[in-house]
């Protein structure tokens, strides 16, 4: 479904991502792990169009998408959340989720100003769907809240609800469990598994190894921007390079 | 002006009843106000407030809701006014066609400019729009053959299908109606998917673009919209006043609009109406304190913004909500 080939991104002298290649099969849960600064978020930013690659290519459903703008990629069915939350604090929580459904609605300014027939009805249906999504990801208590008044953990899940509102084909989650307690982490884990079962391709960056190991079909390990290993959770657990470079060295960090 | 880059106060979910009450109140005030206005002077003040309010609301869509500053918005008002004046005086166009042509021309200019300058952010965008406004007012001053230069020019009275529109009282209904219409359309827009997209890109351009919103196109769209509204108001007020000079497009007028938006409240429609009322009335009320009026005016602005930093209307509604429900204004309840 998504094929990344020899992808590199340089910031000045920093090689944030260097010559990384991998393929994400349709309908699976694919995890990207690696120590802090390994280039995981940069990889997400490259794939979702926020950064343009220095070199290399990204193919999605057989088409080259490298360098395309994020809004065009959203049209193709990509969606994501952010490690450093990108919440519209000037909107209510549910409006944030509805922003995710932007492409499914008639968003012309003219139609909006003159209340085009059907517009209000479609918007109401969208609002109900957004509320259902908030319930589903576990922030149903905040349906009437302003986004600015929500705690961190709920905002993390609000981002997932917004990302799902576009009905994507592939979903990228950047550290969905960071800062969450055990119960919350567990519910994220259940949610990811559920989404994958419904046919969605989910790509996860996460430091919580228990979550990664139990939920992933395949795992990519990055270290200093380079691909260190790739394979099934069992492969990764036994890979000596991974143990040396990541799991071994950084155990205190987990 | 640095606050433009921050998110403004969170907007409460607007209930339909709240919207209806606001609109009913506004309509009642507009309808009954003439009874309370003793003479043409006061009607004129009311008209000027309505013009400021419409321009303020349009600028608020750009500034308060979308988070893009414009320090040259009076320039578009001037383009509309002079477009109408020149087309009717020098080319003999009918006022209605002149108004439409001036609006279309302003929209095209705004579109061309916006595509370039809306890539800028914060202070850079402020500088660019400031420059734009200054250029427009210089052009209006220098093209003496067409515009009469700094002395200004006379403008024919407006007529629609041969029926002339004259007298403060008649114009009052035109501008009052336009104000109500603007409030309705602006609220429709804000509550629509398009309006949500504008507010979303204010909150986070990254989040908006990842959700499929073409951030650049949306910014240009709302810029053109608010510039075009200003142009139409410029055309009408030129016909109403019967005389215009380049001052109407100048920096001070642009700043006045920004004050209306910020004082009344960013991302608040009724805030802009409030701001327009203050800007329309305060100079009249302070006129007695000769020499001190500007100082008092500035002082009132400073104190208001310190006491009610989110602007008068949003700050007060938040306080009202919190006292009524005994919770913080934003808390989920
Ligand atoms: N916009 C940028 N400009 C300059 N350097 C950047 C930029 N974004 C990332 N980097 C650098 O690229 C490297 C990879 O960063 P990245 O955020 O991708 O790491 P990460 O794997 O997501 O780490 P973490 O686990 O802490 O989230 C880091 O050295 C970082 O400083
Ligand atoms: Mg990261």
């Amino acid at each position: 479904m998504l094929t990344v080939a020899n992808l590199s991104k340089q910031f000045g002298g920093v090689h944030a991502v260097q010559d990384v290649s991998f393929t994400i099969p349709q309908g699976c849960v694919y995890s990207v792990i690696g120590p802090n600064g390994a280039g995981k978020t940069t990889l997400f930013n490259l794939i979702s169009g926020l950064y343009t690659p220095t070199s290399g290519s990204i193919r999605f459903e057989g088409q080259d998408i490298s360098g395309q703008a994020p809004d065009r990629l959203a049209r193709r069915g990509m969606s994501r959340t952010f490690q450093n939350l990108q919440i519209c604090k000037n909107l209510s929580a549910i409006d944030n989720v509805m922003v995710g459904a932007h492409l499914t609605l008639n968003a012309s300014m003219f139609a909006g100003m003159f209340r085009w027939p059907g517009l209000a009805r479609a918007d109401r249906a969208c609002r109900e769907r957004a509320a259902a999504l908030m319930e589903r990801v576990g922030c149903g208590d905040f349906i009437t809240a302003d986004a600015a008044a929500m705690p961190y953990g709920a905002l993390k899940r609000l981002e997932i609800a917004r990302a799902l509102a576009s009905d994507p084909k592939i979903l990228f989650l950047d550290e969905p469990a960071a800062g969450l307690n055990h119960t919350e982490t567990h519910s994220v884990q259940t949610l990811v598994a559920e989404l994958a079962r419904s046919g969605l391709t989910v790509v996860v960056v996460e430091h919580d190894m228990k979550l990664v190991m139990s939920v992933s079909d395949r795992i990519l390990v990055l270290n200093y921007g380079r691909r260190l290993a790739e394979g099934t959770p069992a492969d990764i657990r036994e890979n000596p390079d991974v143990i040396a470079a990541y799991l071994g060295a950084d155990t205190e960090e987990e | 002006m640095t606050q433009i880059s921050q998110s403004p106060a969170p907007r409460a979910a607007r209930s339909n009843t709240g919207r209806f009450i606001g609109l009913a109140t506004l309509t009642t005030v507009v309808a009954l106000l003439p009874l309370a206005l003793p003479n043409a002077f006061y009607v004129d003040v009311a008209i000027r407030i309505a013009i400021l309010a419409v321009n303020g609301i349009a600028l608020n869509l750009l500034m308060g809701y979308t988070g893009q500053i414009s320090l040259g918005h009076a320039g578009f008002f001037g383009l509309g006014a002079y477009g109408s004046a020149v087309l009717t005086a020098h080319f003999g166009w009918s006022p209605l066609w002149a108004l439409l042509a001036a609006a279309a021309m302003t929209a095209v200019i705004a579109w061309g400019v916006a595509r370039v300058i809306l890539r800028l952010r914060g202070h850079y965008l402020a500088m660019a729009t400031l420059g734009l406004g200054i250029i427009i007012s210089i052009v209006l001053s220098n093209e003496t053959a067409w515009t009469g230069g700094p002395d200004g020019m006379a403008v024919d009275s407006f007529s629609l299908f041969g029926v002339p529109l004259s007298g403060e009282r008649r114009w009052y209904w035109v501008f009052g109606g336009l104000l109500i219409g603007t409030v309705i359309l602006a609220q429709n827009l804000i509550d629509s998917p398009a309006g949500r997209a504008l507010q979303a890109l204010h909150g986070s351009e990254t989040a908006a673009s990842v959700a499929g919103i073409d951030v650049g196109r949306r910014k240009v769209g709302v810029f053109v919209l608010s510039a075009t509204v200003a142009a139409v108001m410029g055309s009408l007020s030129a016909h109403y006043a019967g005389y215009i000079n380049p001052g109407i497009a100048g920096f001070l007028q642009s700043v006045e609009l920004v004050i209306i938006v910020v004082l009344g409240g960013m991302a608040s429609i009724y805030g802009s109406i409030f701001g327009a009322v203050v800007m329309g009335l305060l100079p009249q009320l302070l006129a007695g304190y000769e020499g001190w009026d500007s100082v008092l005016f500035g002082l009132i602005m400073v104190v208001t913004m310190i006491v009610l930093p989110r602007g008068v209307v949003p700050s007060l509604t938040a306080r009202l909500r919190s006292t009524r429900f005994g919770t913080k204004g934003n808390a989920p309840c």
Side-chain angles (χ1 to χ4, degrees):
Chain A
M1 165 163 240
L2 187 91
T3 307
V4 169
N6 310 105
L7 193 67
S8 299
K9 178 68 184 179
Q10 229 174 303
F11 296 107
V14 182
H15 296 270
V17 169
Q18 217 174 344
D19 201 28
V20 170
S21 305
F22 58 92
T23 296
I24 301 176
Q26 155 109 50
C28 82
V29 177
Y30 196 94
S31 290
V32 181
I33 62 171
N36 293 109
K40 306 177 296 292
T41 299
T42 306
L43 180 66
F44 269 25
N45 287 345
L46 287 166
I47 297 173
S48 57
L50 292 172
Y51 294 162
T52 22
T54 309
S55 64
S57 80
I58 307 163
R59 299 180 77 80
F60 181 57
E61 296 187 312
Q63 277 173 304
D64 191 355
I65 55 160
S66 6
Q68 281 191 9
D71 57 288
R72 290 191 55 195
L73 295 174
R75 274 171 211 281
R76 290 180 181 272
M78 271 199 196
S79 193
R80 67 168 290 183
T81 65
F82 297 88
Q83 177 180 2
N84 60 335
L85 298 171
Q86 294 287 337
I87 295 287
C88 305
K89 296 261 168 89
N90 54 335
L91 289 171
S92 67
I94 196 164
D95 276 341
N96 267 276
V97 179
M98 292 170 77
V99 167
H102 175 78
L103 292 174
T104 66
L105 298 165
N106 176 357
S108 112
M109 290 214 295
F110 184 83
M113 278 191 286
F114 293 96
R115 289 233 156 176
W116 218 239
L119 191 85
R121 196 172 350 105
D123 211 49
R124 224 174 302 124
C126 174
R127 190 170 292 274
E128 274 163 28
R129 224 172 66 82
L133 272 174
M134 286 177 73
E135 296 278 5
R136 179 166 182 204
V137 302
C139 56
D141 292 345
F142 298 94
I143 286 173
T144 57
D146 279 326
M150 287 170 68
Y152 181 80
L155 288 177
K156 286 230 86 129
R157 275 170 289 174
L158 188 68
E159 282 220 336
I160 301 180
R162 180 176 66 197
L164 287 173
S166 62
D167 226 340
K169 293 180 191 157
I170 188 166
L171 172 66
F172 294 85
L173 302 173
D174 197 348
E175 308 208 3
L180 301 191
N181 64 31
H182 279 292
T183 347
E184 292 170 328
T185 303
H186 189 76
S187 74
V188 167
Q189 186 175 322
T190 321
L191 179 69
V192 169
E194 233 176 70
L195 291 171
R197 223 174 303 124
S198 71
L200 182 64
T201 309
V202 188
V203 190
V204 188
V205 164
E206 187 45 67
H207 285 292
D208 185 322
M209 277 309 134
K210 236 179 75 206
L211 187 152
V212 169
M213 288 300 168
S214 70
V215 87
S216 317
D217 296 304
R218 293 189 79 79
I219 299 172
L220 169 71
V221 189
L222 292 181
N223 196 21
Y224 296 111
R226 290 182 171 278
R227 166 174 160 158
L228 189 67
E230 207 258 8
T232 63
D235 297 340
I236 297 303
R237 207 176 280 136
E238 280 149 28
N239 187 308
D241 291 342
V242 176
I243 295 168
Y246 179 63
L247 297 173
D250 280 312
T251 31
E252 310 94 283
E253 264 198 17
E254 295 316 307
Chain B
M1 270 331 95
T2 43
Q3 92 192 76
I4 192 105
S5 57
Q6 296 165 5
S7 296
R11 182 175 68 88
R14 205 184 312 275
S15 69
N16 274 331
T17 42
R19 201 182 144 166
F20 179 78
I21 291 171
L23 208 53
T25 312
L26 176 67
T27 310
T28 312
V29 170
V30 169
L32 298 182
L33 191 62
L35 301 176
L37 298 174
N39 57 42
F41 173 78
Y42 289 97
V43 179
D44 179 64
V45 171
I47 286 173
R48 281 170 199 284
I49 288 173
I51 294 168
L52 287 176
V54 172
N55 282 329
I57 292 169
L59 184 60
N60 208 339
L61 292 176
L62 177 72
M63 271 182 64
Y65 289 95
T66 317
Q68 310 301 310
I69 196 167
S70 173
L71 286 180
H73 233 59
F76 298 118
F77 183 84
L79 284 181
Y82 274 93
S84 274
V86 169
L87 287 174
T88 50
H90 295 289
F91 296 91
W93 285 35
S94 82
L96 181 63
W97 283 111
L99 177 147
L100 294 174
M105 175 193 74
T106 307
V108 170
I109 292 174
W111 179 78
V113 169
R115 278 166 54 93
V116 182
I117 67 172
L118 284 176
R119 295 200 191 121
L120 304 172
R121 281 160 210 241
H123 301 307
Y124 299 101
L125 181 60
M127 290 304 291
T129 51
L130 175 67
L132 174 69
I134 290 173
I135 290 170
I136 291 173
S137 61
I138 288 177
V139 169
L140 296 178
S141 297
N142 288 356
E143 292 300 315
T144 316
W146 296 104
T147 66
D151 296 336
M153 67 187 290
V155 189
D156 292 342
S157 66
F158 198 82
S159 61
L160 205 54
F161 310 117
V163 183
L165 187 58
S166 60
E168 280 81 5
R169 298 261 167 192
R170 266 197 213 154
W171 274 107
Y172 173 87
W173 295 115
V174 172
F175 287 114
L178 279 172
L179 175 58
I180 293 168
T182 304
V183 170
I184 294 172
L185 294 187
Q187 284 186 332
N188 282 350
L189 177 64
I190 290 155
D191 290 341
S192 76
R196 200 159 45 231
L198 296 177
Q199 295 170 80
L201 77 86
H202 184 188
S204 163
E205 287 192 16
T206 306
S209 64
V210 165
I213 294 165
D214 185 339
V215 170
R217 215 193 81 201
R218 293 282 159 183
K219 286 185 188 173
V220 170
V222 70
F223 190 85
V224 170
L225 174 68
S226 69
T228 310
V229 170
V232 170
M233 295 314 284
S235 292
L236 288 174
S237 53
H239 286 295
Y240 160 68
Y243 160 81
I244 52 176
N245 67 37
I248 60 166
F251 177 59
L252 288 179
Q253 309 306 312
S254 291
V255 169
E256 186 175 36
L257 291 178
V258 173
I259 293 176
I260 287 171
V261 171
V262 176
L263 179 81
M266 301 265 270
S268 165
I269 302 275
Y270 286 99
S272 291
I273 297 179
F274 179 85
V277 171
V278 172
M279 288 305 281
L281 285 184
L282 210 49
Q284 314 285 348
L285 299 177
L286 295 177
Y289 303 91
E290 220 172 306
W292 287 94
D293 50 350
S294 306
V295 177
L296 282 173
F297 183 81
L299 213 59
I300 291 173
M301 295 293 143
V302 170
V303 171
T304 312
M305 292 321 289
I306 290 171
V307 178
L308 305 168
R310 281 157 57 180
V312 174
V313 172
S315 297
L316 289 182
T317 35
R319 272 190 206 176
L320 205 70
R321 272 209 286 167
S322 64
T323 48
R324 200 182 311 157
F325 298 115
T327 54
K328 258 191 75 201
N330 302 331
C333 46

